[in-house]
């Protein structure tokens, strides 16, 4: 009986072989006993079900995926333990992916989704407050700016996502206390919402006024991807610094399409090959499936490779954007990115990687906030949940959350003509102290590639910060 | 294992972390970089390049507040500026002199605020112009003597008041929260966070509700548990158990109370119990111990059917005596009365604890049909009942464990769940043994009583093997069903397999088997049997339902599933009375 079962799942495509391997025969239905599992057992079972479900989704066997989703829904809960919470958003993402096969249905169901600016700001603010990641990034960025701008009388900063005044308030304060006197400071903030920029301008002007620092805020209402770099009004004689916090990865989105145009075969076949190799190398057990090595083994995704000039004839969007930034000849550029590989070409690859990173993030929030905390719920749902949904459910240009590892960014930035400069030692000291302030062992900071910083939860890298200058 | 323990420590201190966090948040919003640059020389704030040789002027509060400090000695008219006074003096034909602009020689002047507590009292932070310092002094340290008649807002500087009066009431921004703003920018700033805040407060009540609900549930369970306990103590009266059942919410069983001694009605119970309210489950574990202690006879059909597959696994794992011990501890613990069980079984309390950790989840969750409530309820119980035993694993640790498990079980026909089971027990070694022991123990209980109290699982097993040949077929079909559900090849490494399922389904099947068995045969202990059968059947039903569901879910295997069920049913009939069988069937369909 069970042999029939497995043979029905087994079929020619390596992806399916893959899925069968991880698909354990016990697609249990058993609602009653599922509920009796302890947290740990339930967590493991959830992982299993999620993998199964993703396999079904990847294979297009919706009926089975539906069954798995139903089972998960018995166990997952947005206010339960970490795995339950995580599973909630992963299922939502998988379901969304399925639903996208029926665009009408998908649109209808999402027609009333409104993202309130205020909510957006609030969630970003909560993320900033609950977790140390952005704070560390800001500390490192600001210290790099201060050191790079030493002695400069005209300082211009371009913030690619001007949503959080805290960073610049801190900088204004630091600059106003400069031994050689405060510079003229101009901050160009880019954001697609005017309200956000207004608020930012208000807050920063207030602070600068208070400290009598000559200051000008230059709002640019635009989506980053539509940004006309020429419009940034960089003047000669001013020293330019660019700050990019979690922004660059969205430029990878168009690479995908670019790549598809180039490869009429479609990425599916290619993935198949990748997987097959992976399967030959290791018997794909769950362990290997989840294990780092295998994941890394097949993760070099075709589209991330395509951004190198060797493989692509035209310039990918991220490259042209970086080139444009380089054209402004900034004295400094500080890049903060999610340090994960969420840009794999296969659903399973992305699922596995994101399981790991979001597990870490959800663990962070477990360590930070109580289970009933509404703030925590909001961050998890509106930030992590939405990112997961984007990673899992979206493809092509729609898929914006293409987090990539630091090495990839180093490659890209090098190609664009930037030279890595080590982050300030003083800044690192500061950041480290900040992390220690959280009084929990989980948060760690690692120095990589001589002067780049990776912020980790336990051993899982989550965010990278690196500083760059124009290599002439 | 290491990960688990580290995470345990981690979660244990999460409360503190939280507090820490709050402090941290506060401190971290004050920007770190302010302290990065040495604070030695604060230049006064002035546009352009700082000019070190400025003239610092300290004016008295009086002169700052004086509106017209340049007074004409002839007509006492006051002027704000000296230039204006000079021009005025010209009218009186007094000598006058206008200052010439001596652009370069003139030192720039900065003004100190006379208020000692003010930041601008420091020469380094002096303000750059006279009107600026005047307005500053009035605004920050002066009396607000200008009041807007419309909104009662007060101003210290007349020009501020004038500017406000012009717009007051003409433009106003009202937030949903009721706050009024006259300035758009402050309104926007407020709005950005107010919306969210409002929602937050609106949401809090519901949060509390769910939390309360879960506590309630928990409390409720607890209550029933103790109820069950008292019943047990009074278990010589046949009707008491029945009554408890009624109170447990199953009104339809009340008719049974009238004829508790009638075997056929007894058999009705299992069937009808399929529909029992969940409350009955709470009593279930407690009642179990009486059949065990009293030594039920074996019902071949049921027993064989249900127990054999598991029995094999059990015997692999542990010695008979110890299993018996464990088992005794096991059920009472589920009832939440660990002290009592310890007394009865003579087992060590540590063992009991483990056991309770193992099954307590069952108990509570069975009672809870609401999906969302489930988790919180569950977590409450776990934390309360076995804090020391099963720490909440972090998601990271779980993933690592899953990966580990996957690699260790890769040689077998790897089923995650099976690996799951084995690893979950390997995470806590003692527990694993206990799990296994539980199964053996179940049997042990039965066997020992039959054999006069001395026997263990082994005895039982041998009895089983001898007695229950006719059930093998049925059992096999069940086994097939199981394997189709749970994975391939459970024959090889069954101990693990069973262990893995202990939490999930195996146990239930198992002990209800015991109970049913005792029900059928034990005429004397009617009330006990009744209770046992109730609990047992309920579990059984649920489990079979699960199986049914599952087989259906697996898809494509529907027909086979049908066969299995079919084979089960006849057996059931033969072993138990017809009524129960039917109910079983219907229960399965539900």
């Amino acid at each position: 009986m069970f042999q029939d079962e497995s043979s029905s799942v087994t079929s020619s495509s390596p992806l399916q072989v893959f899925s069968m391997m991880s698909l354990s025969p016990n697609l249990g239905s058993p609602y009653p006993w599922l509920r009796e599992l302890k947290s740990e057992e339930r967590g493991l079972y959830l992982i299993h079900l999620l993998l199964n479900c993703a396999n079904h989704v990847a294979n297009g066997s919706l009926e089975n995926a539906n069954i798995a989703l139903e089972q998960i829904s018995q166990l997952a809960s947005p206010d339960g333990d970490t795995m339950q919470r995580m599973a909630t958003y992963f299922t939502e993402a998988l379901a969304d992916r399925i639903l996208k096969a029926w665009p009408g249905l998908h649109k209808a169901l999402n027609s009333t989704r409104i993202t309130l600016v205020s909510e957006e700001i609030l969630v970003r603010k909560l993320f900033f407050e609950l977790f140390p990641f952005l704070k560390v990034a800001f500390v490192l960025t600001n210290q790099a700016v201060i050191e790079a701008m030493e002695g400069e009388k005209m300082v211009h900063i371009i913030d690619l996502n001007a949503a959080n005044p805290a960073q610049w308030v801190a900088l204004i304060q630091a600059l106003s206390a400069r031994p050689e006197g405060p510079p003229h400071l101009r901050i160009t903030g880019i954001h697609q919402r005017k309200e956000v920029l207004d608020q930012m301008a208000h807050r920063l002007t207030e602070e600068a006024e208070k400290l009598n620092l000559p200051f000008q805020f230059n709002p640019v209402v635009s989506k980053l991807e539509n940004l006309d770099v020429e419009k940034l009004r960089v003047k000669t004689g001013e020293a330019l610094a660019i700050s990019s916090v979690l922004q660059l990865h969205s430029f990878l989105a168009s690479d995908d399409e670019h790549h598809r145009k180039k490869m009429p075969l479609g990425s599916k076949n290619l993935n198949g090959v990748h997987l097959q190799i992976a399967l030959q190398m290791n018997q794909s057990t769950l362990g290997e499936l989840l294990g780092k090595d295998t994941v890394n083994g097949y993760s070099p995704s075709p589209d991330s490779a395509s951004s190198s000039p060797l493989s692509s004839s035209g310039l990918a969007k991220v490259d042209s954007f970086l080139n444009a930034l380089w054209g402004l000849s900034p004295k400094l550029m500080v890049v903060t990115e999610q340090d994960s590989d969420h840009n794999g070409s296969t659903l399973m690859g992305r699922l596995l990687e994101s399981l790991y990173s979001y597990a870490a993030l959800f663990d962070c929030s477990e360590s930070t906030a109580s289970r009933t905390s509404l703030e925590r719920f909001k961050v998890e749902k509106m930030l992590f949940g939405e990112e997961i949904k984007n990673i899992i459910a979206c493809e092509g240009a729609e898929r914006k959350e293409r987090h990539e590892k630091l090495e990839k960014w180093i490659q890209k930035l090098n190609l664009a003509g930037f030279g890595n400069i080590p982050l300030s030692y003083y800044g690192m000291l500061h950041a480290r102290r900040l992390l220690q302030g959280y009084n929990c062992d989980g948060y760690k900071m690692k120095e990589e590639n001589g002067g780049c910083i990776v912020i980790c939860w336990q051993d899982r890298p989550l965010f990278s910060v690196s500083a760059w200058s124009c290599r002439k | 294992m290491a990960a688990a323990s580290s995470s345990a420590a981690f979660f244990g201190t999460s409360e503190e972390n939280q507090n820490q966090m709050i402090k941290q948040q506060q401190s971290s919003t004050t920007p770190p970089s302010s302290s990065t640059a040495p604070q030695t020389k604060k230049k006064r704030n002035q546009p352009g390049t700082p000019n070190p040789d400025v003239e610092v002027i300290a004016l008295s509060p009086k002169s700052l507040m004086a509106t017209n400090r340049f007074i004409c000695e002839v007509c006492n008219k006051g002027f704000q500026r000296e230039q204006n006074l000079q021009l005025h003096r010209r009218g009186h034909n007094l000598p006058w002199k206008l200052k010439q602009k001596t652009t370069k020689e003139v030192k720039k002047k900065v003004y100190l605020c006379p208020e000692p507590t003010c930041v601008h009292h420091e020469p380094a932070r002096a303000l750059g112009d006279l009107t600026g310092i005047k307005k500053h002094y009035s605004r920050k340290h002066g009396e607000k003597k200008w009041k807007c008649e419309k909104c009662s807002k007060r101003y210290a500087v007349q020009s501020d008041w004038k500017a406000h009066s012009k717009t007051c009431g003409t433009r106003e921004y009202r937030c949903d929260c009721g706050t009024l703003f006259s300035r758009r920018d402050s309104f926007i700033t407020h709005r950005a966070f107010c919306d969210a805040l409002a929602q937050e407060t609106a949401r809090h009540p519901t949060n509390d509700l769910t939390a309360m609900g879960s506590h309630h549930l928990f409390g409720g369970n607890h209550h029933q548990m103790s109820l069950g306990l008292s019943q047990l103590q009074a278990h010589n009266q046949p009707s008491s158990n029945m009554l408890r059942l009624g109170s447990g919410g199953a009104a339809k069983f009340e008719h049974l109370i009238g004829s508790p001694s009638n075997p056929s009605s007894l058999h009705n119970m299992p069937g009808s119990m399929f529909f029992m309210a969940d409350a009955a489950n709470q009593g279930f574990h407690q009642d179990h111990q009486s059949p065990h202690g009293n030594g039920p006879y074996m019902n071949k059909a049921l027993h064989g059917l249900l127990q054999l597959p598991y029995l094999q696994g059990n015997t692999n794992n542990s010695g008979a005596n110890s299993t018996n011990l464990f088992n005794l501890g096991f059920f009472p613990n589920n009832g939440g009365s660990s002290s009592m069980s310890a007394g009865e079984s003579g087992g060590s309390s540590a063992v009991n604890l483990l056991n309770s950790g193992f099954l307590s989840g069952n108990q509570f969750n069975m009672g809870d049909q609401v999906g969302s409530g489930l988790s919180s309820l569950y977590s409450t119980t776990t934390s309360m009942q076995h804090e020391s035993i099963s720490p909440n694993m972090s998601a990271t640790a779980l993933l690592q464990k899953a990966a580990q498990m996957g690699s260790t079980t890769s040689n077998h026909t790897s089923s995650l769940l099976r690996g799951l089971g084995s690893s979950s027990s390997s995470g806590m070694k003692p527990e694993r043994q206990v799990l296994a022991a539980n199964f053996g123990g179940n049997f042990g209980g039965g066997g020992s009583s039959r054999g006069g109290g001395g026997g263990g699982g082994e005895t039982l097993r041998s009895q089983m093997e001898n007695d229950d040949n006719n059930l093998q077929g049925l059992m096999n079909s069940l086994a097939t069903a199981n394997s189709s559900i749970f994975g391939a090849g459970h024959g090889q490494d069954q101990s693990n397999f069973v262990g893995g399922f202990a939490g999930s389904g195996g146990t239930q099947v198992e002990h209800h088997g015991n109970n049913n068995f005792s029900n059928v045969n034990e005429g004397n202990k009617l009330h006990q049997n009744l209770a046992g059968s109730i609990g047992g059947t309920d579990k059984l039903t649920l489990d079979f339902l699960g199986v049914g569901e599952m087989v259906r879910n697996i898809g494509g295997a529907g027909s086979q599933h049908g066969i299995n069920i079919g084979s089960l049913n006849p057996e059931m009939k033969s072993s138990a009375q017809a009524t129960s069988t039917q109910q079983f069937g219907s229960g399965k369909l539900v």
Side-chain angles (χ1 to χ4, degrees):
Chain A
M1 175 179 180
F2 50 88
Q3 273 186 345
D4 278 9
E5 195 51 38
S6 48
S7 71
S8 77
V9 178
T10 321
S11 71
S12 49
S13 142
L15 248 184
Q16 278 174 313
V17 173
F18 192 62
S19 87
M20 187 216 64
M21 296 269 190
S22 76
L23 170 92
S24 86
N26 63 336
L27 262 188
S29 60
Y31 298 175
W33 64 260
L34 274 184
R35 291 185 183 157
E36 297 158 16
L37 296 176
K38 282 189 297 176
S39 173
E40 181 189 342
E41 294 163 341
R42 182 182 52 218
L44 290 169
Y45 197 58
L46 273 172
I47 296 169
H48 168 70
L49 285 174
L50 276 173
L51 290 175
N52 257 336
C53 182
N55 258 316
H56 290 312
V57 173
N59 293 337
S61 52
L62 296 191
E63 227 158 277
N64 288 332
N66 181 52
I67 291 163
L69 286 176
E70 198 178 354
Q71 288 165 351
I72 296 170
S73 72
Q74 299 285 317
L75 295 173
S77 149
D79 57 1
D81 61 31
T82 34
M83 195 47 87
Q84 283 180 305
R85 286 169 178 253
M86 249 179 86
T88 311
Y89 300 109
F90 273 97
T91 19
E92 200 183 338
L94 286 167
D96 200 57
R97 190 184 170 92
I98 297 174
L99 206 57
K100 283 200 168 170
W102 292 278
L105 211 65
H106 189 262
K107 278 174 193 145
L109 281 175
N110 289 293
S111 60
T112 55
R113 271 176 83 99
I114 307 162
T115 41
L116 290 171
V117 192
S118 55
E119 284 274 296
E120 238 168 58
I121 297 173
L122 180 86
V123 167
R124 298 231 154 245
K125 190 165 171 277
L126 287 175
F127 179 67
F128 167 72
E129 281 170 359
L130 289 176
F131 301 91
F133 306 117
L134 289 182
K135 290 174 196 164
V136 168
F138 290 169
V139 165
L140 291 170
T141 306
N142 280 0
Q143 192 55 35
V145 169
I146 286 164
E147 290 181 15
M149 297 302 165
E150 217 175 274
E152 295 287 347
K153 302 218 161 59
M154 308 281 282
V155 174
H156 184 184
I157 290 169
I158 296 176
D159 183 353
L160 295 187
N161 179 40
N164 195 333
Q167 178 180 13
W168 305 127
V169 167
L171 185 76
I172 286 171
Q173 286 170 350
L175 285 178
S176 78
R178 233 167 46 153
E180 71 267 29
H184 279 265
L185 176 65
R186 196 147 73 96
I187 293 182
T188 295
I190 300 154
H191 201 276
Q192 51 174 324
R193 304 277 195 173
K194 189 174 176 302
E195 304 94 305
V196 176
L197 290 172
D198 285 348
Q199 206 186 313
M200 185 92 160
H202 177 74
R203 177 79 187 84
L204 295 183
T205 315
E206 192 180 65
E207 188 67 26
E209 241 166 48
K210 208 167 75 190
L211 299 170
N212 260 5
L213 178 117
F215 174 73
Q216 193 194 348
F217 187 76
N218 176 28
V220 176
V221 182
S222 165
K223 275 189 163 183
L224 194 56
E225 54 193 293
N226 305 327
L227 180 72
D228 182 2
V229 176
E230 306 301 311
K231 270 204 226 151
L232 293 177
R233 296 200 292 140
V234 177
K235 297 173 190 165
T236 48
E238 60 185 16
L240 179 67
I242 298 173
S243 162
S244 164
V245 179
L246 311 181
Q247 295 304 309
L248 291 184
H249 59 256
S250 62
F251 281 96
L252 298 170
S254 44
D255 288 8
D256 212 24
E257 297 189 329
H258 176 74
H259 178 73
R260 263 189 210 148
K261 273 176 221 148
K262 272 188 22 194
M263 298 196 102
L265 279 177
S267 52
K268 259 207 167 172
N269 280 336
L270 213 93
N271 301 337
V273 173
H274 269 294
L275 277 176
Q276 219 155 22
I277 293 162
L279 285 174
Q280 282 163 359
M281 289 191 307
N282 335 279
Q283 304 172 350
S284 84
T285 63
L286 177 78
E288 286 153 313
L289 213 163
L290 284 171
K292 273 185 199 166
D293 293 341
T294 315
V295 171
N296 287 338
Y298 68 83
S299 65
S301 57
D303 54 75
S304 59
S306 76
S307 58
S308 85
L310 294 174
S311 67
S312 66
S313 45
L315 276 181
K317 201 170 177 190
V318 65
D319 298 319
S320 51
F321 182 72
L322 289 178
N323 281 342
L325 291 183
W326 184 85
L328 297 172
S329 42
K331 206 171 178 192
L332 172 77
M333 176 156 89
V334 185
V335 175
T336 304
E337 276 295 323
Q338 286 92 342
D339 194 39
S340 319
D341 182 15
H342 294 161
N343 194 20
S345 52
T346 65
L347 173 64
M348 281 314 280
R350 295 204 302 270
L351 182 99
L352 290 170
E353 267 301 308
S354 51
L355 268 180
Y356 274 110
S357 9
Y358 285 96
L361 281 169
F362 275 79
D363 284 342
C364 291
S365 66
E366 171 87 8
S367 80
T368 300
S370 76
R371 293 208 172 152
T372 51
S373 158
L374 198 80
E375 287 84 10
R376 175 179 173 185
F377 173 76
K378 280 191 170 163
V379 171
E380 289 178 349
K381 178 181 166 62
M382 294 166 62
L383 194 68
F384 300 163
E386 289 302 310
E387 283 178 7
I388 292 169
K389 198 188 274 179
N390 191 270
I391 293 167
I392 301 296
C394 296
E395 291 295 351
E398 231 186 346
R399 186 154 63 77
K400 301 278 184 205
E401 304 293 341
R402 295 170 175 256
H403 313 144
E404 292 209 343
K405 304 286 288 179
L406 179 62
E407 311 92 75
K408 296 263 178 65
W409 288 115
I410 290 177
Q411 273 178 18
K412 285 189 190 14
L413 285 156
N414 273 329
L415 281 168
F418 288 97
N420 186 237
I421 49 178
L423 282 162
S424 144
Y425 177 74
Y426 192 69
M428 288 187 207
L429 270 184
H430 234 282
R432 197 156 275 144
R433 214 179 308 150
L434 185 78
L435 281 184
Q436 280 161 2
Y438 276 72
N439 201 25
C440 90
D441 312 332
Y443 295 115
K444 282 174 190 140
M445 235 174 80
K446 277 194 296 191
E447 202 178 329
E448 268 184 22
N449 292 291
C452 302
I453 284 293
V454 173
I455 315 166
C456 309
W457 172 257
Q458 311 287 15
D459 296 323
R460 166 75 28 178
L462 289 173
F463 295 90
S464 68
V465 185
S466 55
W468 302 84
S469 68
C470 253
R471 209 177 45 208
K472 305 269 172 176
Chain B
M1 189 74 182
S5 63
S6 76
S7 73
F10 177 63
F11 285 116
T13 56
S14 67
E15 279 282 302
E16 290 161 47
N17 287 338
Q18 241 172 284
N19 296 337
Q20 196 66 31
M21 268 304 295
I22 292 160
K23 279 184 221 152
Q24 183 58 41
Q25 269 165 247
Q26 285 164 352
S27 67
S28 62
T29 44
T30 64
S33 43
S34 64
S35 58
T36 58
Q39 304 239 346
T40 47
K41 266 201 280 176
K42 275 211 174 168
K43 288 291 169 184
R44 79 200 150 64
N45 317 291
Q46 143 193 17
T49 43
N51 183 359
D53 33 31
V54 286
E55 191 178 347
V56 179
I57 297 171
L59 292 168
S60 72
K62 201 180 161 192
S63 53
L64 280 178
M65 296 304 278
T67 42
N68 301 317
R69 41 181 201 121
F70 301 99
I71 313 286
C72 171
E73 65 249 48
V74 178
C75 63
N76 277 340
K77 191 169 162 58
F79 296 89
Q80 288 190 352
R81 292 167 192 274
E82 199 191 349
Q83 301 284 63
N84 292 342
L85 174 65
Q86 294 300 333
L87 289 170
H88 169 83
R89 283 163 71 97
R90 223 168 33 164
H92 290 299
N93 276 331
L94 293 169
W96 59 277
K97 183 185 158 196
L98 277 179
K99 270 188 200 162
Q100 296 302 310
K101 279 213 166 179
T102 51
T103 42
K104 278 176 187 169
E105 285 95 9
V106 147
K107 273 195 172 182
K108 193 157 164 67
K109 293 173 185 167
V110 292
Y111 301 87
L112 294 184
C113 175
E115 176 62 42
T117 55
C118 180
V119 287
H120 299 296
H121 188 63
E122 288 246 352
R125 304 280 302 271
L127 295 180
D129 73 329
L130 182 62
T131 34
I133 191 73
K134 279 181 177 174
K135 283 183 175 173
H136 160 80
Y137 188 75
S138 316
R139 280 176 188 143
K140 302 294 175 185
H141 315 295
E143 183 199 352
K144 296 190 172 177
K145 48 190 173 189
W146 306 95
K147 181 182 165 190
C148 172
E149 294 302 321
K150 292 179 210 153
C151 71
S152 299
K153 203 169 173 190
R154 294 180 153 271
Y155 291 89
V157 175
Q158 192 186 11
S159 57
D160 290 354
W161 169 77
K162 270 187 189 162
H164 165 81
S165 305
K166 275 185 203 160
T167 55
C168 182
T170 60
R171 260 186 285 159
E172 67 182 25
Y173 304 89
R174 184 189 292 273
C175 177
D176 297 339
C177 73
T179 325
L180 262 179
F181 294 87
S182 53
R183 281 172 55 178
R184 189 166 170 272
D185 53 354
S186 41
F187 169 69
I188 289 171
T189 315
H190 166 83
R191 269 303 289 242
F193 305 105
C194 186
D195 281 349
L197 278 173
Q199 284 171 21
E200 215 162 305
T201 42
R203 247 164 144 162
H204 265 310
T206 46
N207 262 7
D208 289 349
L209 259 178
T210 49
M212 275 184 58
S214 67
H215 284 301
H216 233 77
L217 256 168
F218 178 72
N221 282 341
H222 209 66
H223 186 68
Q224 281 166 350
M225 266 185 265
S226 53
L227 223 163
L229 266 170
S230 63
Q231 293 299 348
L232 246 158
Q233 278 151 2
H235 65 48
N236 281 330
Q237 296 154 10
S239 60
S240 63
N241 273 330
M242 294 297 289
L243 278 173
R244 191 180 57 67
L245 278 171
S247 73
K252 49 178 139 179
F253 302 118
E254 276 173 358
H255 68 276
L256 287 173
I257 295 172
S259 57
S261 57
N262 179 352
S264 70
S265 75
L266 184 70
H267 291 301
N268 275 339
M269 285 302 288
S272 40
M273 285 320 286
F274 281 74
F275 305 101
M276 266 273 304
D278 303 299
N281 287 335
Q282 261 78 50
F284 164 58
H285 296 295
Q286 306 246 318
D287 294 325
H288 257 345
Q289 55 189 352
S290 41
H292 282 305
N294 289 325
Y297 303 110
M298 307 221 107
N299 174 322
K300 294 175 185 176
L302 264 178
H303 182 111
L305 163 64
L306 295 166
Q307 304 241 14
L308 198 57
Y310 296 101
L311 187 63
Q312 289 168 351
N314 297 331
T315 49
N316 284 344
N317 266 309
S318 48
N321 283 332
S322 63
T323 56
N324 193 8
L325 175 71
F326 283 126
N327 176 41
L328 283 173
F330 174 63
F331 287 111
N333 261 320
N334 286 320
S337 59
S338 62
S339 63
M340 183 178 140
S341 65
E344 277 209 17
S345 65
S348 74
S349 58
V351 171
N352 284 334
L353 253 172
L354 286 172
N355 278 329
S356 74
F358 168 56
L359 259 198
S360 60
N362 269 355
Q363 196 177 3
F364 290 103
N365 288 332
M366 288 301 281
D368 185 11
Q369 297 295 341
V370 188
S372 66
L374 174 70
S375 59
S376 52
L377 173 66
Y378 186 88
S379 58
T380 328
T381 34
T382 33
S383 62
M384 285 192 60
Q385 286 217 341
H386 33 104
E387 240 166 349
S388 56
I389 302 160
S390 79
N392 247 321
M393 283 186 89
S394 70
T396 312
L398 279 172
L399 278 169
Q400 280 162 357
K401 190 164 198 174
Q404 241 173 39
M405 275 162 41
S407 54
T408 51
T409 51
S410 59
N411 295 336
H412 310 270
T413 50
S414 80
S415 125
L416 173 57
L417 195 56
R418 184 166 135 238
L420 212 157
S422 62
S423 89
S424 75
S425 44
S426 74
M428 284 159 273
K429 279 251 166 81
E431 191 182 36
R432 175 187 196 161
Q433 282 163 357
V434 171
L435 290 189
N438 279 335
F439 301 120
N442 253 332
F443 288 103
S448 69
S449 53
R450 192 190 192 189
E458 296 264 54
T459 340
L460 180 64
R461 179 168 163 250
S462 60
Q463 285 169 353
M464 286 272 314
E465 277 166 355
N466 295 335
D467 291 348
D468 295 325
N469 293 333
N470 64 330
L471 282 175
Q472 294 283 5
L474 173 56
M475 227 186 50
N476 286 341
S477 68
L478 183 69
T480 340
N482 269 334
S483 57
S484 72
I485 297 159
F486 297 124
H490 71 295
Q492 287 182 329
D493 196 6
Q494 212 170 19
S495 60
N496 271 346
F497 184 68
V498 173
F501 276 96
S504 24
T507 17
Q508 292 157 13
V509 177
E510 192 174 28
H511 45 245
H512 82 66
N514 247 338
N515 288 314
N516 276 339
F517 161 65
S518 65
N519 285 337
V520 178
N521 286 325
E522 241 184 36
N524 316 341
K525 318 266 179 181
L526 215 132
H527 56 286
Q528 288 166 5
N529 287 337
L530 190 56
S533 72
I534 286 161
T537 347
D538 191 27
K539 288 280 190 186
L540 176 61
T541 320
L542 288 170
D543 191 58
F544 274 103
L545 274 173
V547 171
E549 276 297 322
M550 169 158 54
V551 178
R552 242 175 283 144
N553 283 342
I554 284 183
S559 61
Q560 284 167 350
H561 139 64
I563 291 166
N564 283 335
I565 297 291
S567 66
L568 269 174
N569 277 338
E571 288 299 332
M572 284 291 294
K573 273 178 200 150
S574 67
S575 66
Q577 262 65 26
T579 35
S580 72
T581 321
Q582 277 171 355
Q583 300 212 347
F584 175 72
S586 58
K588 180 185 63 215
L589 287 174
V590 164

